[in-house]
Structures are given as C-alpha cells and as structure tokens.
Amino acid sequence: RWPSLLKYYSHSDSVSWLEEYKARHNAGLEAQRIVASFSKRFFSEHVPCDGFSDIETLGCPSHFFEDELMCILNMEGRKGLTWKYYAKKILYFLRQQNILKNLKEYLQRPTERQSFLEGAVLIDQYCNPLSDICLKSVQAQVDDITDKVRKVLRTKNPRHPSLASKAGEVLIPEVELQRQVLDAMNCVLYEQLKYKGNELDYYNSLNSYIHQVLIRRTGIPISLSVLYLTIARQLGVKLEPVNFPSHFLLRWCQGKEGSTDIFDYTYIDAFGKGKQLTVKECEYLIGHHVTEEFYGVVTSKEVLQRMVGNLLNLGKRESTDQSYQLLRDSLDLYLAMYPDNVQHLMLQARLYFHLGIWPEKVLDILQHIQALDPSQHGAVGYLVQHTLEHIERRKEELGPEVKHRSDEKHKEVCFSIGLIMKHKRYGYNCVIYGWDPACMMGHEWIRNMNVHSLPHGPHQPFYNVLVEDGSCRYAAQENLEYNSEPREIPHPDIGRYFSEFTGLHYLANTELEIRYPEDLELTRATVQKIYSSGKERFLAGMQGWE
C-alpha cells in the first residue's frame, strides 16, 4: 500500500509508524463496517446523499479510509461483488466532495489565477472520480506537446523568444513572432500528433473530458480550445476564449491590446485544425449572422459554465443510463457555480423526484426555489404534494416481499435468480435478479411493448434481468432460454443483487436471498442439469457454493 500513501508524508516529518499502522488498521475496520451496512440499508433504493452522513463524520484519516475502499475494489475479480458495489459508491461520494471543495476554492480566486486547464481538470475529475486524473499529470502531457512545438519553432527561427527558458512568463508583442508560434502549434497538434475535431461521434461525453482529449487526440470545440489556448500561453501568445454560439472559438489580437473592435481580431477554430477566421468566416461557420457581443472574451467561469452545459445536455440525451449519473453530476457542478439558478434547481428537484431518491432533499430544493422565485408556486406545490406522499408511503412499507416457490401461484415460474440467460428474439445475454408469476406492468406498458402478441401474452411469468449493455429489462418467460456459454454480465448494478460469480451463475447476496429464499437450491439443480456434460467447468463453479 505504500506507493499510494507516500504522497501523504514528507521526508522531514517525524512519524510514529506504529501509530500510523494502528490508525490505518482502525480505518480499515471502520470502512468494512460501513460498507457491510450499506446493502441492508439501501438494497431497495438508490443510496441518497444523506446516506453518507456517517462517512462525513469519520473518526479516522480519510486517506486511510479511501485506501481500504481501494483494497476492497481490488479484491479477486469474481468475489465480494456486493462489497465492491457499495465501496465504489462510497469512494465516488468521498472524492466528489473533495473535488467540489476544490472547485469552490478555484472559483473564489482572482480571475487571473484561474487557469482554464485547471478548471477543465476539475470538471473531468468530478464526472470521473474513480479515474486517476490529476492536474499535475495533465499539465505534464501539455508540457510535452509544448516542447514538441518548441522543437519545430527552433528549426524555423532559432532565435525565437519562445525558446527562452522563461518563455510564457512574458508575452511576445510582435504579431509575426506570434504567428510563427501558432503555425508551429498547428504543425505539431494537427499534422504530427493528428489531433482533430470528433465529427463522427460529436455527442460522446469523452470529448468533454480533458484527459480523454489527450488520450484519444480528439474532442469538441471547447475542449480542444482549452488545450490550444493553454499551449499558446505557455509559449507567450495570448489567446482569449470566445463564447461563440454553437461553436466555441479563440481570438487573437492583431491590433491594439484590449481593443473593443471585433475586426481587430483573428478568430481561431481549434476544432477545425487551428484555422484562422475573419468575422465573416465565423458567421459562415454557423450559417447565420450574430451580434458583436458574441465575439467578446469570456471569463474562466463562463468557459466552465459552457463545458458543464454541454455535459448537462448530454445527460438529458442519455437513455441507457437509468441512474442519470452524468445529468446528476453536471447539475451538481452547475449549481456549485450558480447556486441560485432556479431553472437548474427545478431540474434537480424533478430528477430526484423521478428517480424516487432523497425526498427530503427534494423538499429542501423546492423551499429554496419558492424563496428565490414565488412565481414557481404551481410547479413547486405539485412536487411538494407528491414528495410528501412518497415519504408517507415509505413509512408504511412493511418490509420486503418474500416469494416462495412452494406457493401455488408460482408453480409456472421455470427460471430462478442468478441464472445466466439469453433472449431468444434479441440475442442479448442477461442474469435474472427477480421474477413475477405474471406481468405486473401497467396497461400502457403492456400495450407499448406489444405483450399481447406473445403466444402466452401477459399471463405468464416475467423476469427482471440485468443486461450486458448496462440496461435493466422485464422479459417474458417464453422469450428467455438458458445460455449454453454462461459468462459474467458487465452491468453496473450486478453487486447490488449478487455477491459472487461462480463461473456458471451468480450467487444472490443476503438481501436478495431473503426475498427469494428457495431460489438458490433450484439454481444449483438447474446448473447441474444443464452443464453436467462440462464436468470440470461445473466443479470449478461448485467451489463458489461451498
């Protein structure tokens, strides 16, 4: 564990290593206790943010707590799936809280100390808290590109001021010398390194994450502009961000510095291989005329607002992500910058309400909206009423519904929890995590899914399945068959329901087994019958049951 903890110590520190070890050991025990409690507390609902309240008041060093969570996540691949599932959620929350704190500190700095690159990294980190992303690493990659530009520049002009050791600290005043820098940048970025705008997969969220832009060498106008602007400034050329509609641009002053005349600037399209544009060409780019205000420079906060706005729009578009994680993350970021924005507060309240999570928080948001804008009382009142009803229903819940196979009404249910299945019509692989003796969906869903066209219609068992594409589906019994080659199902919620993959099927975790107490025995018998011809493989899977 030492390499990952090294950064928390200084060579000059006087440390009692026995005490440090004890602190790490106790943090490990605390982490295990909290992770173990999550399955029982949150099996039947999404983990709400107030579910992490006991983590926020940890009595141990947070880096030791995180280290234990990482140890859980790095456990042998097929075991401890439920622990991994909740350890991941806790780690996600902890890191996002720290990143949000760093973002707020960043926004409070004077504008001249707000690096565009650092802002882009903070957004990237918040949306990808489990990835190893840090400003130092991203900056090192940008520095490497900058060094390549210097090499090209040296062949063109060995006496260029950007080659001096302190280049970047002083801006180059001569326009012709600045042009040489931009030409060298275009050569390195677009010809040597093959960076390009991602026209084929424009609406992929990876285009917005600066570490992915550096890995994949592609992005959208704003992410490529942040990279381009950062390199230019390190070489002594001051470019400025322009919040142009539909296509983010940079501007390069050709006249007196600070000029308010839009015709004193050349506009640079980092998405279009660094092409330099006139005002008229900028309008051709988007196909219509715009007023002068759209050619003005914007602050780092406004750049981040547009980056987050792009992610918000992508989050609204994503239909396969049933947790709406990108939308939730981008709303958090937007409201960290603009905490009193009524439109986005209302969107956050509606989202939580739609997902059925954290109703107490929904009420807090609605109260804040009402205080900010009393004209919203109609929408606020509707959501308050239904949220209070949700809270009351939750109080009345008697506990989990238990389904016994011995019940007469369940005699037609052929398949059991944990079996790896294949859909006969659509061919997808999936695992069963729940079943009903007949279709329990409403009339509208049955009509939309054309269930009545099935030979047995809605009057047959239906199964809740986790699908390999990350979706959750409700499938009719007649459409499912045993998978002749069972394999792991890469679904983000697999650990919510299962503790282990045996090689042939999944083992239900304690909470799921409580709800389907007789399924494990049937699953064992079914697997033995189906896969008995592959004895060695079957025996390997049996080890998991023992």
Side-chain angles (χ1 to χ4, degrees), residues 47-116:
V47 181
C49 290
D50 59 347
F52 298 104
S53 56
D54 46 356
I55 297 167
E56 292 177 308
T57 55
L58 282 174
C60 60
S62 60
H63 61 280
F64 283 159
F65 189 87
E66 273 200 31
D67 189 51
E68 181 62 29
L69 296 176
M70 288 303 301
C71 287
I72 293 170
L73 289 173
N74 292 328
M75 285 163 59
E76 184 189 339
R78 294 177 167 185
K79 296 185 177 181
L81 299 180
T82 299
W83 275 50
K84 289 177 184 178
Y85 175 78
Y86 289 106
K88 187 175 181 179
K89 285 196 171 296
I90 295 168
L91 191 60
Y92 202 98
F93 171 80
L94 281 174
R95 290 189 175 175
Q96 281 196 328
Q97 291 302 104
N98 286 331
I99 296 159
L100 214 51
K101 188 165 61 178
N102 293 340
L103 175 63
K104 289 174 180 176
E105 184 274 324
Y106 168 91
L107 293 170
Q108 287 170 358
R109 292 183 211 158
T111 307
E112 63 274 10
R113 290 185 52 232
Q114 292 178 343
S115 148
F116 293 100

Side-chain angles (χ1 to χ4, degrees), residues 473-532:
R473 305 193 190 184
Y474 196 49
Q477 181 164 281
E478 66 184 77
N479 280 337
L480 294 176
E481 62 184 357
Y482 297 119
N483 195 317
S484 58
E485 296 183 355
R487 55 187 153 193
E488 287 187 82
I489 303 297
H491 193 286
D493 280 347
I494 204 80
R496 183 174 177 180
Y497 305 101
F498 302 104
S499 60
E500 183 179 338
F501 180 62
T502 68
L504 295 175
H505 71 100
Y506 280 94
L507 288 176
N509 62 21
T510 303
E511 295 304 313
L512 189 61
E513 197 174 347
I514 288 171
R515 289 156 174 79
Y516 298 90
E518 297 164 10
D519 272 44
L520 180 57
E521 288 301 323
L522 180 60
T523 299
R524 288 180 178 177
T526 303
V527 168
Q528 187 169 10
K529 181 179 177 182
I530 299 170
Y531 305 114
S532 58

